[in-house]
């Protein structure tokens, strides 16, 4: 592979299907002043990135895919299902209910997502549903303890937002063993078609 400066992606990444990265999951002052190379890369990468925290590497047999029913979340779910099917890993679809008035009948909507998958993908990843209530990040981190990897879409934010607040995916990455970071659907073009064909093939 071609060496690159921290926080940048190489030209070869444009022709890859997946980037594999390690992270120390720094927090607090160390993160503010040193930053995280992995977080910088996943914000800029045009393809999915599998980020593994130091000391947490293990076989990927179960995948957690949080969904909130926004279009980018549906996109992330489809990619997570394809990833799970390729590994023959079990897929768990998680929805966190923040406001019951907004998240009416989440099981019905989750079943519709699963029904939209090609049959070979459904058979390979055997998706199951999980509904929790509370704060999304806390519930995702709690659920992630039972899985090998969490699959989420990454939303680019401002420099100040990244340093102080962080996106949900970045906050989860600091707590879980492995994160499949999926680029926001408005940006990636090439990898989506390739992964869609691979998923349909099972």
């Amino acid at each position: 592979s071609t060496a690159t400066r921290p926080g940048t992606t190489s030209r070869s990444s444009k022709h890859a299907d997946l980037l594999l990265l390690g992270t120390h999951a720094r927090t607090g002052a160390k993160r503010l002043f040193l930053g995280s190379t992995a977080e910088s890369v996943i914000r800029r990468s045009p393809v999915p990135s599998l980020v593994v925290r130091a000391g947490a590497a293990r076989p990927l047999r179960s995948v957690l895919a949080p969904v909130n029913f926004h279009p980018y979340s549906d996109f992330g779910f489809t990619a997570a299902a394809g990833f799970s099917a390729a590994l023959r890993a079990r897929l768990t679809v998680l929805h966190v209910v923040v406001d019951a008035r907004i998240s009416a009948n989440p099981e019905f909507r989750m079943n519709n997502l699963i029904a939209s998958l090609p049959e070979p993908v459904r058979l390979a990843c055997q998706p199951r549903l999980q509904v929790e209530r509370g704060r999304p990040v806390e519930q995702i981190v709690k659920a992630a303890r039972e899985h090998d990897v969490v699959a989420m879409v990454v939303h680019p934010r401002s420099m100040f937002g990244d340093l102080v607040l962080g996106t949900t995916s970045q906050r989860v990455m600091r707590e879980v063993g492995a994160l499949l970071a999926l680029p926001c659907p408005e940006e990636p073009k090439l990898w989506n078609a390739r992964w869609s064909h691979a998923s349909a093939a099972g």
Side-chain angles (χ1 to χ4, degrees):
S1 62
T2 303
T4 61
R5 296 189 307 276
T8 66
T9 54
S10 68
R11 291 183 180 179
S12 61
S13 68
K14 297 177 182 179
H15 305 290
D17 295 310
L18 181 71
L19 294 180
L20 180 60
L21 304 165
T23 179
H24 293 289
R26 294 188 180 95
T27 58
K30 286 185 177 180
R31 181 169 180 267
L32 282 171
F33 290 104
L34 300 178
S36 168
T37 299
E39 290 185 14
S40 297
V41 169
I42 66 174
R43 286 200 308 271
R44 295 168 172 81
S45 175
V47 299
S49 305
L50 180 60
V51 186
V52 181
R53 190 155 51 89
R58 61 185 181 184
L60 304 182
R61 298 190 178 94
S62 63
V63 178
L64 179 69
V67 297
N68 60 12
F69 309 129
H70 289 290
Y72 71 83
S73 174
D74 295 351
F75 166 88
F77 161 77
T78 302
F83 179 80
S84 302
L87 296 178
R88 293 296 190 270
R90 182 70 183 267
L91 177 67
T92 296
V93 190
L94 170 68
H95 177 71
V96 180
V97 177
V98 179
D99 186 338
R101 295 170 298 178
I102 299 175
S103 298
N105 200 355
E107 291 87 353
F108 175 78
R109 300 176 72 175
M110 294 160 79
N111 276 315
N112 282 343
L113 285 176
I114 293 172
S116 70
L117 296 172
E119 184 177 0
V121 175
R122 291 200 306 272
L123 293 176
C125 65
Q126 302 178 22
R128 70 181 186 90
L129 308 183
Q130 181 175 348
V131 177
E132 302 292 348
R133 287 168 173 76
R135 296 182 178 180
V137 174
E138 293 176 1
Q139 292 301 323
I140 292 169
V141 170
K142 180 179 178 181
R145 295 175 186 145
E146 305 298 323
H147 301 277
D148 300 313
V149 59
V150 178
M152 300 183 70
V153 172
V154 173
H155 283 278
R157 298 184 68 171
S158 67
M159 178 65 73
F160 183 81
D162 285 333
L163 287 174
V164 180
L165 300 176
T167 63
T168 300
S169 56
Q170 290 165 342
R171 292 169 66 187
V172 169
M173 184 177 71
R174 297 171 212 143
E175 302 290 340
V176 302
L179 173 74
L180 178 64
L182 302 159
C184 203
E186 291 81 7
E187 296 186 4
K189 301 295 182 183
L190 178 63
W191 81 268
N192 189 28
R194 282 150 60 178
W195 272 46
S196 296
H197 290 310
S199 300

